[in-house]
Amino acid sequence: MSAPARILPERYDPAPVESKWQGVWEGAGAFAAAPLASDGASEPLPERPKAYVLEMLPYPSGDIHMGHVKNYTMGDVVAHQRRRSGAAVFHPMGYDSFGLPAENAAIRTGEPPATVTARNIASIREQMKSLGFAIAWNTEISTSDPEYYRWTQWLFLRFFERGLAERREAAVNWCPKDQTVLANEQVIDGHCERCGTPVELRQLTQWFLRITDYAQALLDDMSELVDWPERVLTMQRNWIGRSEGARVVFRLDDGSQEIPVFTTRPDTLFGATFFILAPEHPLLGHLVEGRPEEAAVREYAAAAARASAADRGDADRPKTGVFTGRHVVNPVNGEQIPVWVADYVLMDYGTGAIMAVPAHDARDFAFAQAHGLPVRRVIAGEGDDAGTPLEEAYTGPGTMVSSGFLDGLRSGEAIGAAAAWLSENGLGEATVGYRLRDWLISRQRYWGAPIPIVHCPEHGPVAVPDDQLPVLLPEVDDYAPKGRSPLASAEDFVRTTCPVCGGPAERETDTMDTFVDSSWYFLRYTAPHLTTAPFDRETADYWLPVDQYIGGVEHAVLHLLYARFFTKVLHDAGLLSAREPFARLFTQGMIYRDGAKMSKSKGNVVAPDEIVSRYGADTLRLYVLFMGPAADDMEWSDRGVEGQRRFIDRLWRLVGGLEPGAPVARPERDATDDPVALELVQKAEATIAKVTEDISERFSFHTAISAVQELVNLGTKCVSEGTAESPAAREALRYASQTAVSLLFPFAPHVTSELWEALGGEDLWRAPWPVADPAFLERESVTVVVQVNGKLRERMDVPVGTADAQMLALARALPKVAGEIEGRAVVREVVVPGRLVNLVVK
RNA sequence: GCGGGUGUGGCGAAACCGGUAUACGCGCUAGGUUUAGGUCCUAGUGGGGCAACCCGUGGAGGUUCGAGUCCUCUCACCCGCACCA
């Protein structure tokens, strides 16, 4: 007796299968994106629904890591499912290739950053291809490519024209290790986000993008971001930090100056007993000039300037300060109150000056205690009166006391009343403050896009004309930062002429924060090779906004905020219809090992390459999604990887055991009376519905995979038990196997393509996504639970649609139930059709 | 301190609308096939009990015929923010 013909080798060997299918897809241009805008004719816009599926672009260090694998696999699954469901899918890839790692490598080895970067990109691209990601490689971009950063510069100039890019002096965050300034968002707890070094504050002239102009719009348009994680929205909301209050103008004792303050508590104005200026306040010198307090005040301000950002921001530090010898006049009562300088008042929030109300502000209270300043209660809480002593600041609501025209009002009403009074008397008005600071984008580093500005002694900062872009990075001998940009040492680069007057001038030598590059890359993908503009409005309008964006939560107030800002500015500049770049956002959890983030220094890295060569790309893709909910942090398990490989092997054996032949159609429900066939097809249809919903609506990949596993397990069981012997059952088994292969394709595209081919199918990547036949989803009979007093007693199978009365009669007749209720009064009967019967007895 | 989140078998987890708690996978136990071992197949696997049964979703209350799910309080852990006037 000869062995039956096999449609597949006995054992699955991933390597040849993977390279075969990667070659097929590439040859067919299976995942190329269209339409794209390009020079000359743009491609026509399709009528089909579109799906722009995007994962945050990687920084090209040489090696892809597990976080990337998870990130891109998720996007891949979504993209495949949408494509096979008929959507025009856009799933591009690029590299955030400017930045410090390549530059630091260059400093160590002398190799130019461009060379290091090119090599790393080639390496990471190969690794991504080996995982079989369905990327539109025809759109690939690198932010360090002159053809890309040319347009980054072009966009900067649009900001400059609109007054949204400006150079000004400010106390800025300086990282002494990286030798460059940092944006506020890049300082975590007073430390450099990149290297962890404590950040210093320095008074420097730098380029800022005026993101604060968009603070309100960034808040308001969050209503469009319904599918963003609440956590990210909350972080952005906190970061923007809107607070309503009032501007109140105080006047210096000699009447020479007005000093406005911002307060959220204008109701407490009568409780202001002193006044504080930030050490950097520009009027401070004027106030103390030639006075006995001058030396002490200047010394205090100088010490504050030397303090690290972390120290300045530490709320637990004792409240220090120095009296200036001067007073200001409280506009509501004409009272003179002393002016102090203290470093808990920050120059870059509000006006850099505050009225201090120790009775109703914890910080002011601490300061008053430390320096023996008076405390005056102006709000009486429940059971208090004007004379009730204060052990600590009272920040709650109450009735206004000792407050002139506000007396007797509730504190909540007094806020508005005080603001109205200020406004009527020209002494202030209601206003809104934001915690958000302008985005500091200049960097004193080499490997970034040069800021396209020329400094003319006559005309100041002047835009480089558009037709002279890109301003190319000069070649330099030494990439090391020395407190100024390495570009400054390239004399031929620096020396230039003023675009306005033609006179001698110098180029700006700072480069842009790499977050500028990544604030618009999702637009460039739609026109990757366009030479006349950064993108084409019509094509960009077709694809934008990104339908599904996927990335790490660490960018909540960095990239995600900046990209939103850019999109709004481009909208206002008439370049784009979209106001928001990313309609839906999914933030994935991190992969840990041994309880810690994978890192080279900890030696706990699992290299994706090694897993691919050992188990295959499909196994890895399945595992990173099967681990658990995609949004949660997960612990890596080598055993878990093996489990997914076993699953693939099980599917391989199931399909391999089928007879050669063509794909079969789904049987008709009316023609399916074989019980095994019916069970198989019902399971297949239920799996289709579950997997489709899990991918497209729930982002629940692990349950989608487990559903396919159940289907495969059922098929395997039918084979091992020999129950699928009738022609109808054999056909149903084939149909169920086909369905499992088809549904698993987005997760494990290589092996399923091979199995699909063995089953006589072709081009699984574009085979229509299965749609469940509802006729099989409706059951004829259901298992109903019978409870007595809410406790499970029995189960029974009843036909669907059985009447409540009938269900009750059946339930009561069950021997176990009958025994339970015998001799007891049934006081209530609960029937949930198709689910349960509950008899309540006494 | 404020804000957000998470607690379910030995482990990762499922239960989406208040209705069979623990699907799927890992691990473990036993048996079988092959056998040098692994692979593979079958059965079992929340706890207690000989059993009928009882108990079980961090803890304590509550609502309900019925609670992992809703409400109140509480504990633990994780994340974000934190002198922002």
Side-chain angles (χ1 to χ4, degrees):
Chain A
M1 201 172 124
S2 64
R6 295 196 59 87
I7 61 173
L8 286 166
E10 197 129 0
R11 275 191 62 85
Y12 171 53
D13 181 14
V17 170
E18 287 171 6
S19 54
K20 167 183 164 183
W21 289 100
Q22 285 162 19
V24 168
W25 299 326
E26 190 156 349
F31 311 122
L36 297 174
S38 52
D39 294 337
S42 290
E43 295 162 291
L45 305 179
E47 295 292 321
R48 297 181 288 160
K50 62 97 184 178
Y52 190 168
V53 181
L54 185 67
E55 305 94 47
M56 290 180 185
L57 86 176
Y59 175 81
S61 65
D63 293 307
I64 194 171
H65 59 70
M66 280 303 169
H68 290 129
V69 175
K70 183 171 169 181
N71 195 200
Y72 301 133
T73 304
M74 278 192 277
D76 219 42
V77 168
V78 172
H80 275 309
Q81 198 271 338
R82 299 269 159 89
R83 178 178 296 104
R84 288 180 53 198
S85 299
V89 167
F90 194 34
H91 187 217
M93 182 59 67
Y95 311 97
D96 188 19
S97 49
F98 270 137
L100 287 191
E103 182 171 344
N104 289 338
I107 292 164
R108 277 198 312 277
T109 65
E111 192 177 24
T115 314
V116 177
T117 300
R119 189 173 57 238
N120 285 344
I121 286 176
S123 161
I124 201 167
R125 180 195 294 121
E126 278 322 298
Q127 292 175 64
M128 287 196 281
K129 287 192 170 177
S130 79
L131 281 154
F133 294 135
I135 300 292
W137 292 109
N138 60 328
T139 64
E140 194 183 23
I141 56 179
S142 304
T143 59
S144 62
D145 185 335
E147 279 312 301
Y148 183 90
Y149 73 72
R150 165 186 184 179
W151 297 110
T152 305
Q153 293 172 336
W154 187 92
L155 290 168
F156 172 89
L157 293 176
R158 303 293 82 77
F159 278 66
F160 185 61
E161 283 166 4
R162 301 176 68 79
L164 292 169
E166 66 181 19
R167 209 166 105 95
R168 63 165 186 259
E169 189 184 308
V172 298
N173 303 295
W174 171 265
C175 174
K177 172 133 185 283
D178 287 340
Q179 294 270 300
T180 184
V181 297
L182 300 169
N184 255 324
E185 289 79 7
Q186 288 155 24
V187 179
I188 313 291
D189 270 338
H191 296 259
C192 171
E193 176 224 15
R194 277 199 39 75
C195 66
T197 308
V199 165
E200 299 167 6
L201 289 173
R202 288 197 181 180
Q203 200 70 20
L204 293 170
T205 301
Q206 298 286 318
W207 283 95
F208 291 86
L209 296 186
R210 296 185 54 95
I211 191 170
T212 53
D213 286 10
Y214 282 77
Q216 194 58 48
L218 288 165
L219 281 175
D220 291 343
D221 291 349
M222 282 187 192
S223 58
E224 291 181 32
L225 308 179
V226 284
D227 278 313
W228 277 42
E230 195 50 47
R231 179 159 68 132
V232 174
L233 294 176
T234 302
M235 284 168 73
Q236 291 207 355
R237 228 176 261 122
N238 290 345
W239 191 258
I240 294 167
R242 182 183 201 273
S243 49
E244 293 183 4
R247 200 178 71 99
V248 186
V249 180
F250 285 69
R251 186 171 286 276
L252 199 58
D253 45 18
D254 63 4
S256 68
Q257 293 286 339
E258 288 187 341
I259 312 179
V261 301
F262 173 72
T263 177
T264 54
R265 298 293 305 274
D267 52 326
T268 64
L269 254 169
F270 286 88
T273 52
F274 54 102
F275 191 94
I276 301 181
L277 294 177
E280 300 85 2
H281 199 284
L283 286 178
L284 191 60
H286 167 79
L287 253 62
V288 296
E289 198 165 7
R291 301 184 61 91
E293 292 85 357
E294 177 168 8
V297 167
R298 289 197 185 278
E299 191 184 322
Y300 183 82
R306 285 191 301 270
S308 72
D311 282 349
R312 250 330 257 285
D314 181 5
D316 298 331
R317 223 163 33 107
K319 297 274 180 292
T320 61
V322 177
F323 180 46
T324 62
R326 301 295 297 269
H327 293 75
V328 289
V329 179
N330 186 337
V332 291
N333 56 10
E335 204 169 87
Q336 293 223 349
I337 53 176
V339 178
W340 288 61
V341 56
D343 67 359
Y344 80 91
V345 174
L346 308 173
M347 191 56 224
D348 55 1
Y349 183 78
T351 63
I354 64 161
M355 63 173 205
V357 184
H360 306 291
D361 181 283
R363 298 152 300 178
D364 298 345
F365 188 87
F367 192 86
Q369 294 249 297
H371 299 97
L373 291 159
V375 177
R376 184 193 302 152
R377 177 192 279 276
V378 293
I379 296 174
E382 209 158 325
D384 297 334
D385 59 34
T388 309
L390 287 152
E391 302 290 315
E392 55 181 5
Y394 176 71
T395 54
T399 305
M400 302 310 303
V401 293
S402 310
S403 289
F405 62 90
L406 296 174
D407 274 350
L409 289 177
R410 295 294 302 168
S411 51
E413 302 162 345
I415 292 177
W421 186 92
L422 290 166
S423 187
E424 281 160 25
N425 292 282
L427 295 166
E429 68 278 312
T431 180
V432 174
Y434 297 93
R435 207 189 77 113
L436 183 70
R437 312 281 203 269
D438 278 332
W439 176 12
L440 198 177
I441 59 151
S442 29
R443 295 291 178 274
Q444 291 70 49
R445 297 293 303 233
Y446 176 79
W447 193 229
I451 294 174
I453 291 288
V454 168
H455 296 286
C456 171
E458 197 70 21
H459 299 95
V462 177
V464 171
D466 288 354
D467 61 10
Q468 291 174 28
L469 299 180
V471 175
L472 289 169
L473 272 173
E475 288 180 15
V476 299
D477 299 328
D478 183 4
Y479 301 103
K482 299 175 189 66
R484 59 170 202 169
S485 167
L487 273 58
S489 63
E491 281 180 35
D492 290 349
F493 173 82
V494 174
R495 213 171 329 145
T496 186
T497 53
C498 171
V500 176
C501 63
E506 293 192 345
R507 280 191 196 281
E508 170 67 50
T509 57
D510 283 355
T511 53
M512 285 187 243
D513 181 5
T514 56
F515 281 107
V516 178
D517 309 328
S518 56
S519 290
W520 73 282
Y521 76 104
F522 45 90
L523 291 163
R524 185 63 179 173
Y525 280 139
T526 67
H529 309 298
L530 190 65
T531 61
T532 54
F535 54 90
D536 164 66
R537 177 161 186 171
E538 198 189 359
T539 312
D541 281 352
Y542 173 74
W543 286 115
L544 269 273
V546 171
D547 295 275
Q548 184 64 62
Y549 199 35
I550 309 171
V553 74
E554 66 273 16
H555 287 115
V557 292
L558 289 159
H559 164 62
L560 289 167
L561 191 65
Y562 297 146
R564 293 186 60 215
F565 166 51
F566 253 67
T567 303
K568 291 183 186 310
V569 173
L570 299 184
H571 171 89
D572 289 352
L575 295 167
L576 190 65
S577 295
R579 288 176 191 280
E580 285 289 340
F582 315 124
R584 270 171 286 271
L585 172 70
F586 185 85
T587 49
Q588 81 207 54
M590 287 204 295
I591 299 176
Y592 289 85
R593 190 171 178 225
D594 307 325
K597 197 174 161 178
M598 288 188 192
S599 77
K600 276 182 196 155
S601 59
K602 291 198 193 74
N604 64 345
V605 173
V606 181
D609 266 5
E610 284 172 30
I611 303 297
V612 169
S613 60
R614 195 151 165 200
Y615 300 101
D618 290 329
T619 296
L620 178 57
R621 293 170 57 119
L622 275 174
Y623 176 64
V624 294
L625 295 191
F626 185 73
M627 293 172 87
D632 291 3
D633 291 341
M634 283 292 146
E635 176 78 17
W636 178 267
S637 156
D638 292 326
R639 296 280 200 182
V641 179
E642 288 170 26
Q644 292 313 302
R645 175 55 200 264
R646 278 204 284 270
F647 167 51
I648 289 177
D649 289 341
R650 212 153 65 232
L651 177 62
W652 182 271
R653 281 193 302 274
L654 175 66
V655 173
L658 299 171
E659 297 138 45
V664 295
R666 170 171 42 219
E668 292 295 327
R669 176 65 185 86
D670 295 343
T672 310
D673 39 21
D674 180 297
V676 174
L678 181 60
E679 188 187 7
L680 280 164
V681 181
Q682 276 177 336
K683 186 70 178 175
E685 301 310 289
T687 308
I688 291 169
K690 168 90 177 142
V691 172
T692 305
E693 193 195 341
D694 281 355
I695 295 175
S696 61
E697 285 164 45
R698 299 213 309 146
F699 248 76
S700 181
F701 304 111
H702 64 311
T703 52
I705 294 166
S706 79
V708 179
Q709 289 176 343
E710 286 184 50
L711 178 59
V712 171
N713 290 350
L714 179 65
T716 302
K717 189 171 143 227
C718 288
V719 171
S720 68
E721 290 179 355
T723 51
E725 290 305 312
S726 74
R730 279 172 29 198
E731 179 148 321
L733 177 64
R734 191 177 184 90
Y735 172 73
S737 306
Q738 249 172 236
T739 302
V741 166
S742 178
L743 292 174
L744 200 64
F745 168 79
F747 302 90
H750 310 91
V751 67
T752 51
S753 291
E754 185 73 8
L755 294 171
W756 187 257
E757 188 179 68
L759 286 165
E762 51 185 42
D763 291 350
L764 183 54
W765 59 271
R766 60 177 168 191
W769 185 254
V771 178
D773 179 352
F776 284 98
L777 297 176
E778 291 157 10
R779 293 300 185 114
E780 283 174 338
S781 70
V782 283
T783 304
V784 166
V785 174
V786 182
Q787 299 178 335
V788 176
N789 285 344
K791 290 193 191 296
L792 179 73
R793 283 296 173 264
E794 260 304 6
R795 293 159 217 264
M796 58 184 187
D797 283 336
V798 299
V800 165
T802 304
D804 289 5
Q806 180 70 20
M807 295 233 300
L808 275 170
L810 287 167
R812 282 166 169 273
L814 293 166
K816 211 179 249 176
V817 177
E820 285 263 350
I821 62 176
E822 197 185 350
R824 305 164 81 182
V826 176
V827 295
R828 185 162 178 176
E829 295 165 330
V830 180
V831 180
V832 182
R835 284 240 172 230
L836 64 71
V837 173
N838 187 14
L839 300 172
V840 184
V841 299
K842 256 198 211 148

